[in-house]
Structures are given as structure tokens and as C-alpha cells.
Amino acid sequence: MKAKIDFKRLSSYDYYLPNELIAQTPLDKRDESRLMVFDRKTNTTLHRQFKDITDFLVKGDVLVVNNTRVLPARLSAKKSTGALVEILLLTRINLTDWEVLLKPAKRVKIGQTLTISDELSCELLSVKDDGNRIMRFKFDGVFEDILNRVGSMPLPHYIHKKLKNKERYQTVYNKVLGSSAAPTAGLHFTPELLQKIQDMGVEILELTLDVGLGTFRPCKEEDITKHDMHSEHYHLSKEVAERINKAKIENRRVIAVGTTSVRTLESVAQKGMPLTEDDDKTDIFIYPPYEFKVVDALITNFHLPKSTLIMLVCAFAGYDNTMNLYETAVENQYRFFSFGDAMFIS
């Protein structure tokens, strides 16, 4: 007899992954990544390329994407002694002040100034209870323009190769600057593929969730209900809310591109259905069992073992299904994580 799975235990979400399957660089062509297609009703799995996603969409479907843009948030700074300090921008507080991560953190004292470039420097204002720092930046000109010149992409810790083109860690539909990490399920789309999808009669709608680095923070509590979930800002417009409500009334599928789109839609839905315009922060933590109120299908990458993201996928596809799909992906040598391949779960 099969042992009953405890969905609240962290070890339930572990799986074996050889290091060589962790994608270190993006493919030359976004939509030539592989696509594992899983149908929950028929329990069937297909292996295709991402550009074949059109074979699994129908007229009337609603595709919901996260239009956030990633900040080149990793900065290299120098102390007056010449010692190097890495700064990682997390959350903007006002025009000049940011919550950041410093490395090494303890060697920078309150009131100390760090030099990033001729046009950008910063001063440590305070230390937060969680160890994050508050820095005040000094600059002449537009901060975002300077950041584009001197900053680099905050790639996840498991990517060890330098990214040649910053735009490959951005979706082609990015608009709203504010994320510390990319909504990676969207990296597979090209302008041509999106046009083809629209021409089929599929509605493409945008929302915004500023992806924080907490998305990569491991869950360390064996009892996952004790995990302190990170909070992220989101915005859902009135028009998009109304279009999704209409689709739900007409029994048309709402397909979330990525876990960030899922978290936004389900966060708004928790305040009540039908959806309404909303601008807020969410720390929603989705794991089995969970009743999805909005999302009918999901496009997602393959996520880290024991991560909150694989827990969300388990809640959506079913625990056994998800773990079997991951095992199949390893057997078939799919590429994993941010620059890896994708799944379409319908």
C-alpha cells in the first residue's frame, strides 16, 4: 500500500536533478526550447517544442502574462580602502533610498559611502532586522539610465555563466520596471509567436507582479506552514479584471503564463469574485490542497527542488502528476530552471 504523502512536509517536494540539466545559458531562439504538455483530464503527456504551443490553444482562450521588467540590479561598489562590495537592489523606498543586500555586509558601517561609478555612489543608512540594508543613492541624472549603464542582471545563484545579452533575461513584452528576477515562463515567447497566438483569436492580457529575489529563497522549515513567504507588489487593471471575469462567465480558459501570474490572479480572487482592479502586495503561499478560483491552465518552467514554486505546481497539476512529470523531464534530459524548458499543464 502506497504511503500517504504529507503535503506540509518539505521533504515531500524533493526530487533528484543532475547538475548538468541546470540550464546555464538561454537558447539562441526563445521558442525552440522544449515543451512538455500535460493534460490533467486525459492524464497524457506529450513532448514538443515551445513554438508548438499554438497546437494546444483554441480561439477564445485568455493568456495572462506578467509585463514586469527586470532591473539590472547587481552593482559592484568600492569602499574608500579599495575593497569591493556587491550591492543587490531589492525594493525602492523613494527617489534615492533602496532596500538592498550587501556582500560582504558586516564590513560596511552605517554612514559609510561606497563608490559605484563616476556618476553613482551610495551611503548606508540603516540595518533592518532581517539583515537587509537601507542605502541612499547619490547621482546626477536619471537613476534608471545610470543603472542600465553600470548595473548587471541579478541572475539566480545556480547560473554561473555570464549573460552576453541583458535582454535575454527579459520577456519580449516587458514594460514596467521593478523586478529583481524575471518571470521566466514568459522568456519562451517571441513577437512572432505572440502575433500568431493573437491571430488565432486568443486574447493576451497583461498584469504586473514585481518579482522579488525571495522567489529563489529556499524553504528551510520541514513544516512548510512555518515558512515566511516573501511579499511582492502587483497591479491588476480594471480592464483586465473585467475581461477575465467575462471569460470565466463564458467558460473560456484562463491560462496563466508563469507562477507570478498565478499568484497575482489568485491573490485578487481571494478578496472575492468577480475580480476587481487591485494594486497591493501579496505573500500568498499556494501548496496542496488548494482550490484555484481563476486559473484553468498553466505555462511554467521546471522549478527547484523544495521550492515554493514546485509546491504551487503540485497544487495545480496534482502532487503525484507533478513529481512524475519532473521524473520524466530528468529522464528525457529537459533543461531546468530560469533558462530551461517549459511545461503546459491544461
Side-chain angles (χ1 to χ4, degrees):
M1 187 174 166
K2 195 173 180 181
K4 190 178 179 185
I5 298 296
D6 184 351
F7 297 130
K8 293 180 181 177
R9 285 181 68 83
L10 180 62
S11 52
S12 298
Y13 301 95
D14 199 7
Y15 67 90
Y16 168 70
L17 179 69
N19 278 335
E20 61 267 22
L21 295 186
I22 300 172
Q24 292 297 314
T25 54
L27 295 181
D28 289 340
K29 295 184 178 178
R30 291 175 183 260
D31 61 357
E32 288 188 358
S33 52
R34 294 170 74 189
L35 179 69
M36 184 184 289
V37 182
F38 178 67
D39 187 320
R40 291 178 294 170
K41 287 180 182 173
T42 60
N43 202 31
T44 53
T45 305
L46 299 172
H47 303 280
R48 304 287 285 274
Q49 277 192 305
F50 194 83
K51 59 188 174 186
D52 300 326
I53 189 78
T54 49
D55 292 345
F56 306 96
L57 303 175
V58 297
K59 183 178 179 179
D61 281 344
V62 174
L63 204 63
V64 184
V65 303
N66 181 5
N67 66 9
T68 191
R69 180 169 175 81
V70 186
L71 291 155
R74 197 180 295 276
L75 299 165
S76 181
K78 279 185 182 177
K79 296 163 66 174
S80 57
T81 60
L84 290 175
V85 178
E86 185 180 87
I87 303 170
L88 201 54
L89 303 176
L90 297 178
T91 308
R92 190 169 205 160
I93 297 166
N94 54 41
L95 189 64
T96 57
D97 300 354
W98 284 79
E99 181 178 341
V100 306
L101 283 176
L102 290 185
K103 190 179 176 183
K106 291 180 180 177
R107 294 185 186 173
V108 182
K109 307 301 179 188
I110 291 174
Q112 197 166 4
T113 295
L114 303 175
T115 302
I116 298 158
S117 72
D118 292 342
E119 50 189 346
L120 185 63
S121 63
C122 58
E123 177 191 347
L124 179 58
L125 295 184
S126 62
V127 179
K128 293 184 67 187
D129 291 341
D130 60 5
N132 292 350
R133 269 57 176 170
I134 305 299
M135 303 288 294
R136 176 159 294 161
F137 287 84
K138 298 167 188 174
F139 52 92
D140 285 323
V142 179
F143 182 77
E144 287 79 6
D145 291 346
I146 297 169
L147 200 58
N148 275 327
R149 286 193 287 275
V150 302
S152 59
M153 281 298 167
L155 296 179
H157 58 87
Y158 48 75
I159 293 177
H160 309 299
K161 290 194 177 179
K162 190 173 174 65
L163 184 63
K164 292 177 183 175
N165 176 4
K166 284 183 186 179
E167 287 304 306
R168 286 301 273 107
Y169 195 56
Q170 306 278 14
T171 63
V172 296
Y173 45 74
N174 73 81
K175 287 179 185 171
V176 184
L177 190 67
S179 281
S180 301
T184 55
L187 296 179
H188 306 281
F189 289 95
T190 64
E192 295 79 15
L193 181 57
L194 288 167
Q195 188 60 55
K196 189 177 177 183
I197 289 168
Q198 274 190 312
D199 291 345
M200 290 173 60
V202 174
E203 205 170 353
I204 300 175
L205 302 179
E206 298 180 5
L207 50 74
T208 306
L209 181 132
D210 295 330
V211 189
L213 287 174
T215 193
F216 300 120
R217 197 177 69 196
C219 185
K220 294 177 179 175
E221 300 281 355
E222 182 57 23
D223 177 356
I224 65 170
T225 62
K226 294 179 180 175
H227 176 63
D228 183 21
M229 193 68 177
H230 60 286
S231 179
E232 295 165 320
H233 169 260
Y234 67 82
H235 176 74
L236 182 72
S237 71
K238 182 171 184 281
E239 181 189 0
V240 170
E242 288 173 351
R243 288 191 178 194
I244 292 171
N245 291 335
K246 188 171 187 289
K248 296 302 286 183
I249 290 167
E250 295 171 356
N251 288 318
R252 292 185 283 120
R253 288 191 304 179
V254 175
I255 303 166
V257 177
T259 56
T260 61
S261 296
V262 174
R263 295 181 75 240
T264 303
L265 293 171
E266 295 297 320
S267 295
V268 179
Q270 283 194 343
K271 297 182 179 183
M273 291 290 284
L275 300 177
T276 55
E277 181 177 8
D278 199 12
D279 191 282
D280 203 350
K281 285 191 169 184
T282 180
D283 60 359
I284 191 171
F285 185 8
I286 297 174
Y287 57 87
Y290 177 86
E291 186 180 338
F292 287 82
K293 299 171 181 64
V294 182
V295 179
D296 301 304
L298 170 64
I299 296 170
T300 186
N301 279 22
F302 294 93
H303 305 293
L304 278 75
K306 298 183 177 180
S307 65
T308 59
L309 304 180
I310 194 173
M311 294 171 195
L312 183 153
V313 177
C314 284
F316 188 76
Y319 175 84
D320 288 341
N321 290 335
T322 301
M323 302 316 283
N324 288 337
L325 290 169
Y326 271 64
E327 191 177 324
T328 301
V330 171
E331 287 171 0
N332 287 272
Q333 299 205 307
Y334 274 71
R335 301 165 80 246
F336 278 66
F337 307 160
S338 294
F339 288 140
D341 297 316
M343 273 200 293
F344 179 50
I345 305 168
S346 64

